[in-house]
Amino acid sequence: MISLVLAGFGLTFFALADFARTAYNSADLGPNFYPRLISLLLLSFSVMQLIISIRRKGKEEFEAIAWRLVGGVFLLIFGYVLLWETGYVWLNTVFILILMIMGGARKWWVLLTTSAGYTALSYYVFARILNVPLP
């Protein structure tokens, strides 16, 4: 069900990305390129997840999914409260680490490299390249 909702979001955002047209140089990609790219990626991954969910032999119980959802929402709220106290780098690394453990990842090297690698990459892109101030 979530895959279908996200696919709907992808289609909707793709259609809305062309809503406000602006004049731009034909050699440039234009202001609607990035929203359309993200929309297509969202749609593509949603369809892939839907196919994986349909083909999966063993289905998770509703109770386990509900606890993960509640835990994820609690983690998100708790993380937002702590963001200004701990800073982006530490909080994001721990946040991704906990989400991966909740998702079933158990190899320590996968947990550490993914959480630290994504944090380092996102920090570099946003703080250094795009000059977005991070807490």
Side-chain angles (χ1 to χ4, degrees):
M1 185 57 110
I2 293 173
S3 299
L4 291 174
V5 171
L6 289 176
F9 279 140
L11 285 173
T12 302
F13 293 148
F14 184 81
L16 291 175
D18 202 28
F19 181 69
R21 287 201 169 255
T22 57
Y24 55 89
N25 186 357
S26 62
D28 293 337
L29 295 174
N32 62 354
F33 172 74
Y34 185 71
R36 283 198 165 188
L37 176 66
I38 296 299
S39 301
L40 286 176
L41 288 173
L42 178 63
L43 180 63
S44 302
F45 287 125
S46 299
V47 169
M48 288 188 320
Q49 183 61 40
L50 180 64
I51 292 170
I52 290 169
S53 297
I54 291 172
R55 296 180 70 192
R56 187 182 309 159
K57 302 273 189 261
K59 307 240 185 257
E60 289 188 70
E61 295 181 20
F62 176 75
E63 187 175 315
I65 295 171
W67 279 112
R68 285 185 183 167
L69 181 63
V70 169
V73 169
F74 176 74
L75 188 62
L76 188 62
I77 293 170
F78 189 66
Y80 179 76
V81 171
L82 288 178
L83 179 62
W84 305 107
E85 298 297 324
T86 61
Y88 175 78
V89 173
W90 292 108
L91 184 68
N92 194 50
T93 304
V94 172
F95 183 77
I96 293 173
L97 188 69
I98 293 172
L99 283 180
M100 289 178 63
I101 291 170
M102 287 173 57
R106 294 294 180 252
K107 294 180 181 176
W108 66 270
W109 60 273
V110 172
L111 291 167
L112 293 179
T113 55
T114 303
S115 61
Y118 177 78
T119 299
L121 179 68
S122 64
Y123 180 80
Y124 180 74
V125 168
F126 286 104
R128 301 291 180 218
I129 295 175
L130 299 174
N131 293 323
V132 175
L134 296 173

